[in-house]
Amino acid sequence: MTATDTSADLLAAARAWRDDDPDATTRGELDSLIGRFEAGSDEARDELADRFSGMLAFGTAGLRGALGAGPNRMNRSVVIRAAAGLVAYLLSEGDVGHDPLVVIGFDARYNSDVFARDTAAVVVAAGGRALLLPKPLPTPVLAFAIRHLGADAGVMVTASHNPPQDNGYKVYLGDGSQIVPPADAQIAAHIAAVPSVASVPLAAEGWETLGEGLVQAYVDAVVTVVDPDSPRDLHCVHTSLHGVGHGTVAAAFLQAGFELPTPVDEQAVPDPDFPTVAFPNPEETGAIDLALDQARTQRCDLVIANDPDADRCAAAVLDPALGDWRMLRGDEVGALLGAHIVNRGVRPGDVFACSIVSSRLLAAIAAAAGIRHEETLTGFKWISRVGGLRYGYEEALGYCVAPHLVRDKDGVSAALLLAELAATAKAQGRHLTDLLDDLALAHGVHATDSFSVRVSDLSQTEAVLRELRDARPTSVGGVAVTRVDDLSAGDGGLPPTEGLRYYLADQSRVIVRPSGTEPKVKVYLEVIEAVPAAGDLAGARTAAADRLAAIRAEFERLTALP
């Protein structure tokens, strides 16, 4: 095919999509790009080529991408096709039969409410029932509603902690869990079979908008994660990072008997521009600085932060060793909650689970408690499906503390349980850092770290992994590499997934994998250092930090972009 042919095909595809687009804004966007391309703009041609490089693909549980016109962006055309594919799946392959019931939630990002209504319109026109959540709400409210209302599927319009220009479309089936293979591929096939947006019937009305009773039912359920007789004396600062978690977290804390958390006012009201943060992700440096500043200037025992759709929960504490506030790592919170659940009481059939990139400390806690631990692929779509699950987490601040209520990560119930743990420790004259010391003395220091290699082109992630496969290191930081698992080949006993896992002779572990939601390669590090006695804890932590730094430096070099 010649360059002229390629340009002609690109223009034809762009015009056809534009003419089928039901949204005036994105039609105008394409019109402008087409006009600039026809006038000879290479920039416009490259932009069109990217937007028409393929249909936005299902990734972690659904769709996620930048807002804009074209098949490789989030827009009404893509959402209507996705909704039509989901309904077709439910009718033909989902074992649902006729009249599927779909519950639909949305956050406060740009167009989230529009995409939610479009989904409802598709469901109703196809003969199904659509239940729309009453307002922008946390993702765990939607996950709860699916089973609470007996729905056949659920859709949450959210891009979670992605940048402001993104939106997404998260799909759940009737068990309340995010979709996994083969359902994702089957839904994608039905989406691909939609000939045009114009061919998809849209109802003008007929869906039901749920009332506040659904939100109250969720709050009634999640407050049961805390013991009604446990201590409640706790002063919290809370930030929702311009997302939708503020009202639900406040209601849950009050109903559970805690003092109302003090909000970070600048971040308490939903704002799709996320004006006070570079990235609306508590993991990112600087994201919770306003909350930490507030904790330093007022009476505070604990800082809690949710990401914009409140399915993740971060925490910060005053660390005596630093003399200042610091954010706890996701693995630290994961271990603290796991140990708290053990102390509250577990049964022999209970199972703890975490993703392969999470710390091995939870496995040690489970073993000491005499219960089973399972390691899963990254993502709650896998964790939530573990049989007998009592508790699951992943290091990226996701915690499932009540799988019988929400079969997904839930930043609201996790915040409640963490507050109970902190209040219990406070009543004993202790802090969460003391509890971390207890875990280190019992199971060794499990020090973790991670970093990301951001890329502008997804092909660069493939190049990084290819380079690692071609030049396998035999030692890292002066320690021999004893085993390398190619996760894409199913090494290590897990279903195939892109990535590499390294084990070192001193029990250190490194995992390199592409992100499922963002254009970056993520590297996860863990070292384990034994603690012979309480007096050796500081030395063990120093040794672990030194080992961790050496491994990180080596892998920063190995994964550097050319």
Side-chain angles (χ1 to χ4, degrees):
M1 181 179 291
T2 67
T4 301
D5 292 334
T6 303
S7 296
D9 289 343
L10 180 56
L11 277 172
R15 290 179 183 131
W17 186 275
R18 175 200 61 192
D19 294 344
D20 189 43
D21 191 335
D23 187 277
T25 300
T26 43
R27 279 200 312 273
E29 197 177 307
L30 274 185
D31 254 339
S32 175
L33 281 170
I34 290 169
R36 289 168 52 210
F37 180 23
E38 290 175 326
S41 168
D42 289 338
E43 181 185 3
R45 184 195 186 286
D46 291 344
E47 180 68 16
L48 277 176
D50 180 54
R51 290 172 184 242
F52 285 84
S53 59
M55 189 70 73
L56 196 64
F58 265 61
T60 301
L63 302 167
R64 194 175 295 187
L67 291 161
N72 195 31
R73 296 289 189 272
M74 280 296 298
N75 50 66
R76 291 186 64 203
S77 294
V78 166
V79 165
I80 289 169
R81 287 170 178 266
L86 172 61
V87 173
Y89 165 82
L90 294 174
L91 290 171
S92 65
E93 299 184 63
D95 231 3
V96 171
H98 297 291
D99 306 329
L101 174 60
V102 182
V103 59
I104 304 157
F106 55 99
D107 66 9
R109 285 177 180 264
Y110 287 115
N111 279 349
S112 287
D113 56 342
V114 176
F115 297 159
R117 285 194 298 271
D118 278 338
T119 301
V122 171
V123 172
V124 171
R129 291 179 58 210
L131 305 178
L132 204 62
L133 295 195
K135 60 186 178 182
L137 285 165
T139 292
V141 176
L142 180 279
F144 166 81
I146 294 167
R147 288 196 289 170
H148 180 70
L149 298 172
D152 298 303
V155 170
M156 183 67 193
V157 183
T158 179
S160 189
H161 57 280
N162 275 38
Q165 64 267 25
D166 288 0
N167 212 327
Y169 198 80
K170 185 177 287 190
V171 178
Y172 298 76
L173 293 182
D175 64 355
S177 295
Q178 300 173 36
I179 55 171
V180 295
D184 54 354
Q186 292 166 342
I187 294 170
H190 283 288
I191 294 171
V194 176
S196 65
V197 176
S199 71
V200 180
L202 295 175
E205 57 185 12
W207 54 86
E208 177 186 347
T209 299
L210 297 166
E212 290 293 328
L214 185 278
V215 184
Q216 186 59 54
Y218 168 78
V219 172
D220 290 344
V222 297
V223 297
T224 64
V225 304
V226 295
D227 184 338
D229 297 322
S230 62
R232 293 291 189 272
D233 179 18
L234 193 74
H235 309 293
C236 289
V237 166
H238 174 255
T239 176
S240 53
L241 293 184
H242 301 292
V244 297
H246 172 71
T248 308
V249 169
F253 267 64
L254 280 180
Q255 187 164 322
F258 288 102
E259 175 185 299
L260 185 68
T262 303
V264 177
D265 290 333
E266 301 95 320
Q267 299 174 332
V269 177
D271 187 332
D273 290 318
F274 307 106
T276 68
V277 292
F279 286 93
N281 181 352
E283 290 181 289
E284 295 285 345
T285 301
I288 68 166
D289 280 358
L290 288 176
L292 296 181
D293 289 343
Q294 194 161 315
R296 293 183 183 109
T297 60
Q298 65 182 64
R299 185 177 58 161
C300 183
D301 300 309
L302 180 68
V303 171
I304 293 174
N306 292 115
D307 66 338
D309 70 326
D311 64 348
R312 299 170 192 247
C313 176
V317 296
L318 181 61
D319 190 332
L322 298 174
D324 196 6
W325 286 82
R326 75 168 178 93
M327 183 168 150
L328 296 176
R329 298 191 62 82
D331 284 318
E332 291 178 308
V333 175
L336 286 169
L337 291 177
H340 184 46
I341 289 170
V342 166
N343 292 335
R344 287 266 304 267
V346 291
R347 297 169 298 184
D350 287 341
V351 178
F352 281 6
C354 60
S355 62
I356 59 172
V357 298
S358 302
S359 171
R360 290 165 284 179
L361 179 53
L362 187 66
I365 292 168
I371 61 173
R372 187 161 57 91
H373 174 270
E374 285 199 16
E375 191 176 63
T376 75
L377 295 180
T378 303
F380 260 85
K381 60 184 181 181
W382 302 111
I383 294 171
S384 66
R385 283 181 161 77
V386 170
L389 183 68
R390 174 63 184 85
Y391 168 66
Y393 94 95
E394 61 182 2
E395 56 76 42
L397 308 179
Y399 312 96
C400 179
V401 303
H404 62 294
L405 300 175
V406 177
R407 200 166 288 178
D408 197 7
K409 55 185 177 290
D410 181 350
V412 181
S413 59
L416 284 173
L417 198 63
L418 191 60
E420 178 186 57
L421 177 59
T424 301
K426 181 181 177 181
Q428 299 167 349
R430 310 188 78 211
H431 303 279
L432 292 183
T433 51
D434 296 318
L435 304 186
L436 289 172
D437 289 348
D438 292 345
L439 292 175
L441 289 170
H443 308 291
V445 172
H446 287 63
T448 60
D449 194 8
S450 65
F451 66 91
S452 297
V453 182
R454 290 194 174 272
V455 299
S456 56
D457 184 340
L458 288 178
S459 65
Q460 292 175 291
T461 66
E462 299 169 4
V464 169
L465 289 163
R466 184 169 58 249
E467 180 67 24
L468 288 173
R469 287 189 175 97
D470 291 344
R472 293 190 175 191
T474 57
S475 67
V476 175
V479 180
V481 175
T482 57
R483 174 177 147 195
V484 180
D485 291 339
D486 188 339
L487 301 176
S488 67
D491 291 353
L494 291 166
T497 186
E498 188 56 69
L500 296 164
R501 178 168 56 184
Y502 303 81
Y503 289 102
L504 278 58
D506 62 358
Q507 287 192 292
S508 300
R509 185 193 66 186
V510 180
I511 297 174
V512 184
R513 60 176 288 273
S515 169
T517 56
E518 298 177 81
K520 60 186 180 182
V521 176
K522 301 186 75 172
V523 182
Y524 307 85
L525 319 167
E526 182 180 34
V527 302
I528 302 174
E529 187 77 27
V531 185
D536 301 316
L537 180 55
R541 284 210 166 105
T542 299
D546 290 344
R547 288 168 54 198
L548 205 57
I551 295 171
R552 174 166 179 156
E554 183 73 4
F555 268 86
E556 284 178 340
R557 182 186 66 79
L558 290 170
T559 57
L561 295 174

